[in-house]
Amino acid sequence: MSTPYPFTAVVGQTDLRLALLLNAVSPAVGGVLVRGEKGTAKSTAVRALSTLLPQVDVVPGCRFSCAPVAPDPDCPDGPHEAGPGGARPARMVELPVGASEDRLVGALDIERALAEGVKAFEPGLLADAHRGILYVDEVNLLHDHLIDLLLDAAAMGASYVEREGVSVRHAARFLLVGTMNPEEGELRPQLLDRFGLTVEVAASREPAQRVEVVRRRLAYEDDPAGFATRWSGDEHEVRARVVAARALLPQVRLGDNALLQIAATCAGFEVDGMRADIVMARTATALAAWAGRTTVLKEDVRQAALLALPHRRRRNPFDAPGLDEDKLDQILDQFPDEEPQDETDPEPDPGTDPEPDPDGGPENPQGPDDGGGPDGGGVPPQGGGPQDAQPPAEPAEAPADAPEGAPQSPAQEAGGPEQAAVRAAEPFRTKMLSVPGLGEGAAGRRSRARTAHGRTTGAQRPRGQLTKLHLAATVHAAAPHQKARGRTGRGLVIRKDDLRQATREGREGNLVLFVVDASGSMAARQRMSAVKGAVLSLLLDAYQRRDKVGLVTFRGAAAELALPPTSSVDAAAARLEKLPTGGRTPLGSGLLKAREVLRIERLRDPSRRPLLVVVTDGRATSAGAVGGDPRELTARSARLLAADGVASVVVDCESGPVRLGLAGALAADLGGPAVTLDGLRADSLAGLVKDVRTAVTTPATHTTRRAA
């Protein structure tokens, strides 16, 4: 086994280390979600934490790590007699993103269960992690059904496996730690709430701190064992402090005043539900024990709020996580602090910092590294996002695009005078747009697909390991052969060839590629604000349905891939907010760019089906670098997308009493429907758009229809 990087050698990241240590002191806090950009020591710190946990006593030979003094009466390996056991280090179990359900919760041998009536159970990762750490790297990329199983086990302290009347239960209490890069997508709000604490981490911008990070990492890679030995003293001190804090934890008093502070803080930040209050209470208690006190003080409540509330106060996916510290101080200042009970305190806290100083070790002879710079892992204050900026000055009404062939200045051809970006209108609930047919893509909530979870639609012979037994089909396959197999008793004689896998239908996530017209004809303030509001609404819908999204914009003389396909809907919303407008309309170039993006993405992820959403008024006044007639280029590009089988929908942004119907003609070439901005609303009087009908037709068919 390789030597892990020492926990106390991690430079900076104060909040990250504190959150992990508090969970080590009190696993009831509920785990940690670590959010941050790549290369910020998220995984290093988590993997190093396991070496600081005390050893656990287990029943010898028990695969489920039962405690010898109080073994689980329902343990599948039981029953166990209470008595002395053996000690082993606490485990850190990693859950891979691509793990199956059987790998997580364990697997039953269905064949033996049916034929022999025995519970042959192979434990999963939840059993391995019992009384240790379960680490999920890139938790935001984990399938939803696995996250549900994971968080249910973490909340109940047990894992249940039930299939076809056979049930197994075992204890599963662990410290849950998840890491994620927000650029790759967000967790659903209800799942965010199930993590006790959250920490935002970022790389330091201080040169001295970055130098120290590189120095320590190089020293570790040159001699891992020697580097760990140099930090063994600091590791021992922190390990002893964790043990002492665990012992002190039952004696910590959470007074009525501290409870009032916690309740007022959660109410003041309008946090939904009561889980935040409970997590804050447990965190404040752990903070007091970590500081060596038996009384919870106001500073403990404040720190608990900074760790437990930022991810719970998000009102929608595009709100930046964080907490207004000034508002927090105003709430807490309404209550006097608890009086510390000196006679029961084992030792006074030597300072105001409730965490050890692990950066003053042998690799940092110049003194401790406070890690308190702007990127030291703290939670950023609320505000500063696009929604907090002052609205830009009202731009002048943009004229409509000049007719084809009109002389254009070089500035106009290149994009025209760029106009200030306008704010999006208030988002709304959109109608359901889905891709027709039956896919086999990643699990989601948009289009019909064959999935591992959902309603049972039939049965088939298993391909590989059996995961979902179709009981009726299995019995039907085995019944004709009972006499030939010499059946004498009441039970069926089941062979492996009789087993049938259930086929199920659920929903998949799609790639929703937005193609947005940012030309001068769309630049009028009210019009572009409404367009951005509609796209933002569709982005919210894509977030809720677990889609990947991409953004192509076109204006002036060219189209641009503003956002490559990604799971981060937040990133798409940020790009949309800053989208400039002005210039002519190279609609055909935008469609060709979209076709190229979809072609590349099809090679990367062939199972994820695309949905093209074109937001335009249908005007085409520039052919860009391709040249030729703009309208003919647009029609030809649309027919190419239709021939590729791409499901499309056109959001018609044309306004005014006189309408040219150009967006409708574009939708016909694409083989999909056209909806107006008002018709996109789910609560509008227009008919519900259930499916995007894709008519795969040849260019000759379109030409004949248009000529007719």
Side-chain angles (χ1 to χ4, degrees), residues 14 18 241 290-291 299 303 349-357 370:
T14 306
L18 178 60
R241 190 171 175 183
W290 178 248
E299 64 190 61
Q303 183 64 57
D349 191 29
T352 58
D353 187 0
E355 73 154 336
D357 182 12
D370 58 7

Side-chain angles (χ1 to χ4, degrees), residues 28-118:
V29 167
V32 186
L33 176 64
V34 187
R35 298 163 44 91
E37 58 196 22
K38 52 187 177 294
T40 50
K42 301 188 298 293
S43 301
T44 299
V46 174
R47 292 188 176 98
L49 178 67
S50 61
T51 62
L52 301 180
L53 298 182
Q55 288 193 330
V56 294
D57 294 328
V58 296
V59 173
C62 178
R63 297 175 297 167
F64 302 88
S65 303
C66 284
V69 294
D72 182 5
D74 297 324
C75 176
D77 283 356
H80 303 299
E81 297 292 335
R88 63 161 176 79
R91 293 173 180 160
M92 195 205 72
V93 178
E94 293 193 43
L95 174 61
V97 171
S100 65
E101 180 180 341
D102 287 344
R103 186 71 186 98
L104 177 63
V105 301
L108 287 170
D109 190 330
I110 302 297
E111 186 177 359
R112 291 190 61 192
L114 289 175
E116 305 174 26
V118 298

Side-chain angles (χ1 to χ4, degrees), residues 238-613:
V238 176
R239 189 180 300 109
R241 190 171 175 183
V242 169
V243 173
R246 280 189 173 186
L248 182 62
L249 187 65
Q251 306 173 35
V252 176
R253 184 175 67 89
L254 185 66
D256 292 341
N257 196 56
L259 285 171
L260 282 173
Q261 293 172 357
I262 291 170
T265 300
C266 293
F269 284 101
E270 300 181 356
V271 177
D272 296 331
M274 295 299 299
R275 184 174 283 118
D277 303 62
I278 298 172
V279 171
M280 275 191 63
R282 291 170 174 167
T283 305
T285 303
L287 279 162
W290 178 248
R293 288 184 271 101
T294 57
T295 302
V296 174
L297 303 181
K298 185 187 297 184
E299 64 190 61
D300 300 324
V301 175
R302 186 182 191 278
Q303 183 64 57
L306 292 175
L307 293 173
L309 295 188
H311 60 304
R312 292 186 167 91
R313 60 155 291 275
R314 291 163 59 98
R315 311 308 298 176
N316 66 64
F318 306 137
D319 286 342
L323 215 61
D324 187 340
E325 297 193 36
D326 292 336
K327 180 179 179 180
L328 175 61
D329 291 334
Q330 291 175 5
I331 294 174
L332 294 179
D333 287 343
Q334 300 174 16
F335 303 90
D337 207 343
E338 292 280 359
E339 290 294 332
Q341 298 179 329
D342 294 333
E343 67 276 5
T344 61
D345 286 349
E347 58 178 327
D349 191 29
T352 58
D353 187 0
E355 73 154 336
D357 182 12
D359 295 324
E363 289 291 318
N364 190 7
Q366 297 180 353
D369 177 9
D370 58 7
D375 297 298
V379 180
Q382 182 183 9
Q387 67 274 15
D388 299 312
Q390 293 296 323
E394 186 81 18
E397 184 79 8
D401 283 348
E404 180 190 355
Q408 296 288 328
S409 67
Q412 288 175 312
E413 183 64 33
E418 186 174 297
Q419 302 184 28
V422 299
R423 294 173 62 89
E426 193 68 21
F428 51 83
R429 189 167 63 91
T430 66
K431 291 178 178 178
M432 174 66 173
L433 304 176
S434 62
V435 180
L438 195 62
E440 296 182 351
R445 299 183 175 184
R446 183 172 298 278
S447 305
R448 294 174 54 224
R450 298 183 184 90
T451 59
H453 299 268
R455 63 184 182 91
T456 301
T457 58
Q460 64 181 13
R461 291 182 181 272
R463 301 172 182 175
Q465 184 179 5
L466 178 70
T467 56
K468 298 291 182 182
L469 178 74
H470 195 295
L471 184 58
T474 299
V475 173
H476 186 270
H481 308 290
Q482 296 306 297
K483 184 177 180 180
R485 293 173 183 175
R487 172 187 169 189
T488 57
R490 299 178 60 184
L492 286 175
V493 179
I494 302 292
R495 301 282 174 81
K496 188 171 184 178
D497 291 342
D498 301 329
L499 299 179
R500 294 295 183 269
Q501 175 88 20
T503 58
R504 304 195 175 192
E505 182 178 312
R507 294 281 173 175
E508 67 176 0
N510 298 112
L511 167 60
V512 183
L513 181 62
F514 294 93
V515 181
V516 180
D517 187 346
S519 64
S521 65
M522 303 283 290
R525 181 176 178 82
Q526 293 182 350
R527 192 175 187 185
M528 197 60 195
S529 177
V531 169
K532 285 188 175 183
V535 178
L536 188 64
S537 304
L538 291 168
L539 284 172
L540 279 167
D541 182 68
Y543 167 82
Q544 294 164 353
R545 301 190 188 280
R546 313 303 289 169
D547 295 316
K548 291 180 70 174
V549 296
L551 179 62
V552 172
T553 65
F554 57 93
R555 57 181 290 269
E560 175 190 5
L561 178 59
L563 181 71
T566 176
S567 297
S568 177
V569 179
D570 286 5
R575 300 291 176 89
L576 179 70
E577 187 75 22
K578 301 175 182 178
L579 180 64
T581 57
R584 305 186 71 184
T585 311
L587 177 54
S589 298
L591 297 177
L592 289 177
K593 172 63 74 173
R595 184 171 184 250
E596 178 64 15
V597 172
L598 294 178
R599 183 189 67 80
I600 296 174
E601 194 64 20
R602 193 177 297 117
L603 297 175
R604 294 174 177 170
D605 191 357
S607 63
R608 188 180 291 269
R609 296 187 294 164
L611 173 62
L612 184 68
V613 180

Side-chain angles (χ1 to χ4, degrees), residues 5-12 17 212 216 227 231 235 358-359 363:
Y5 192 89
F7 184 85
T8 51
V10 175
V11 178
R17 291 178 295 163
E212 190 62 28
R216 295 186 188 185
F227 184 81
W231 287 89
E235 294 281 289
D359 295 324
E363 289 291 318

